[in-house]
Amino acid sequence: MAPEPDENEQFEGRLTLDDVLAAFDSVNEPVVVTSDIAEEIGRSRESARQKLTRLFDQGRIQRRKHGNMIVWWRLPPEEAEERPERRLQRLSKELDEPIVVGEQVFEDGDVHSVPEGEVTPDE
């Protein structure tokens, strides 16, 4: 199930996580705060925070609480690459369909082995 767009996204088009990552380059600072990103992407601070949190959950950016605010920063490319297994888990959940790779089934955001005796599509 796709997330609900915020009220601005309904009129301005869908904002991708890659758009949010590009905003880090526009700010051109080693760390940013949520309001920096919100301003760059033209969305509310809450919308920016939600996107930043998703990027953090995916391991593509890092964060640290500093006083009463959170600072965010991009990870070096070699650290920010999402593991293929995590990408397949996320994709299976987004598609709401299982993805079978070899003996593993990525389903509903989780991974498990193909049940014994079950034939996979490539066999």
Side-chain angles (χ1 to χ4, degrees), residues 72-106:
W72 308 86
W73 64 93
R74 287 185 78 162
L75 293 169
E78 64 275 6
E79 290 181 38
E81 289 182 18
E82 190 176 14
R83 294 185 339 265
E85 295 84 11
R86 177 66 187 119
R87 189 174 301 142
L88 288 168
Q89 287 173 317
R90 184 172 42 81
L91 184 59
S92 73
K93 189 170 189 168
E94 288 174 7
L95 295 174
D96 196 26
E97 290 190 22
I99 299 172
V100 179
V101 178
E103 304 259 333
Q104 292 183 311
V105 179
F106 298 87

Side-chain angles (χ1 to χ4, degrees), residues 48-58 61 63 72:
R49 185 195 60 74
Q50 290 174 1
K51 297 286 187 183
L52 289 164
T53 299
R54 287 183 61 201
L55 287 166
F56 173 78
D57 289 344
Q58 291 177 6
I61 64 173
R63 70 181 177 195
W72 308 86

